[in-house]
Amino acid sequence: MKFLIPVLVALLCSPALFAEPGSRPLKVTAYDYHDYKNENIESKTFRRFQDGVYYDFEWSFDRSNPGEVIRTEIITDYFGNITRYSTTTFVPTTESFLVVQQQRFDPGVTPPALYDTLDYSPPIVKLTGALIPGIAWGEAGHIFSTLSEESFYTDKLEILAVEDVSVTAGDFDDCLKIHSVGQYGNEPYTRMDWFCPEMGLVKRIHNGRVLIDLASVSYGE
């Protein structure tokens, strides 16, 4: 990350960031692509298709503690049974937002009981302040788990384009297309995400299959 800031400054000051009249501008930092920042969003429901079956995938946000956002993730199977229950803690900064911790719960009991806590050192950087096609960044660090031995992660991301995308919830314009590769413990991945203004993540292709497709959004009063 220490080499990223000078590159961002040079890019932000370059006239090449602004397209010719009548074409689409490349500088897109005026938009807010973070769903955790949009306090009107209470929850988001996604659909995923796996092994011939649709599953529901829900995120809800807790912004009650200043300086952090806790996202609860609940995945249910075709019959409505909870197959995954976890919370992820994010810490917003002026340039990005950081994934600092994940807690996993046993969905087989009511209420779900905590069985593992994962801490990331350093925190994982998701999105940067300069959301411009061509920008790339990454991190590598340790994962400390209460359930298993220390492991490692790598996370490399690049903004490929700004484009429109269609999902179950509708059509969204000026979305960031972000490619990422990495590994968490023994699990490597490759991923393509679409982040849209005021909505955040709406679609994800993970290891070659559609993992996330935004179906609906709930808003507070």
Side-chain angles (χ1 to χ4, degrees):
M1 288 299 291
K2 66 181 180 180
F3 300 108
L4 178 61
I5 301 304
V7 174
L8 295 183
V9 172
L11 286 170
L12 287 170
C13 296
S14 170
L17 292 177
F18 300 93
E20 295 297 324
S23 64
R24 193 170 203 173
L26 293 180
K27 186 175 181 181
V28 293
T29 52
Y31 295 122
D32 182 2
Y33 291 88
H34 307 78
D35 47 15
Y36 77 87
K37 279 188 178 180
N38 189 343
E39 296 185 358
N40 293 319
I41 296 178
E42 288 189 339
S43 65
K44 300 165 69 174
T45 300
F46 304 94
R47 302 296 300 278
R48 65 176 187 163
F49 189 76
Q50 183 178 359
D51 301 327
V53 178
Y54 279 105
Y55 295 81
D56 287 327
F57 191 110
E58 183 176 350
W59 287 351
S60 58
F61 300 91
D62 180 358
R63 306 177 182 89
S64 60
N65 187 18
E68 72 176 22
V69 177
I70 297 177
R71 185 186 72 201
T72 298
E73 176 183 89
I74 299 176
I75 298 178
T76 54
D77 63 17
Y78 179 78
F79 302 100
N81 300 311
I82 298 176
T83 60
R84 175 171 173 171
Y85 190 114
S86 65
T87 62
T88 303
T89 301
F90 300 92
V91 174
T93 73
T94 56
E95 295 183 353
S96 62
F97 72 99
L98 310 176
V99 182
V100 298
Q101 185 184 84
Q102 184 179 66
Q103 292 187 313
R104 298 173 176 173
F105 296 82
D106 180 0
V109 298
T110 304
L114 176 68
Y115 72 89
D116 192 18
T117 298
L118 304 174
D119 293 297
Y120 301 97
S121 178
I124 301 170
V125 177
K126 295 296 185 182
L127 297 185
T128 67
L131 303 176
I132 303 166
I135 288 294
W137 68 97
E139 292 284 353
H142 300 262
I143 303 174
F144 299 98
S145 169
T146 57
L147 192 63
S148 58
E149 295 181 356
E150 175 189 355
S151 60
F152 300 90
Y153 76 84
T154 60
D155 206 46
K156 301 177 182 179
L157 304 92
E158 180 181 3
I159 300 176
L160 299 183
V162 178
E163 62 184 26
D164 303 338
V165 63
S166 296
V167 293
T168 302
D171 301 326
F172 296 89
D173 300 332
D174 299 314
C175 302
L176 297 178
K177 183 179 183 180
I178 300 179
H179 179 258
S180 58
V181 294
Q183 184 164 331
Y184 289 79
N186 295 321
E187 300 179 7
Y189 75 90
T190 179
R191 181 181 294 166
M192 195 75 73
D193 288 333
W194 285 262
F195 286 82
C196 302
E198 307 302 327
M199 188 54 62
L201 182 65
V202 301
K203 183 177 180 179
R204 168 172 293 168
I205 296 177
H206 182 88
N207 289 343
R209 64 181 178 86
V210 177
L211 178 66
I212 288 179
D213 180 278
L214 183 66
S216 63
V217 180
S218 71
Y219 296 93
E221 298 180 357

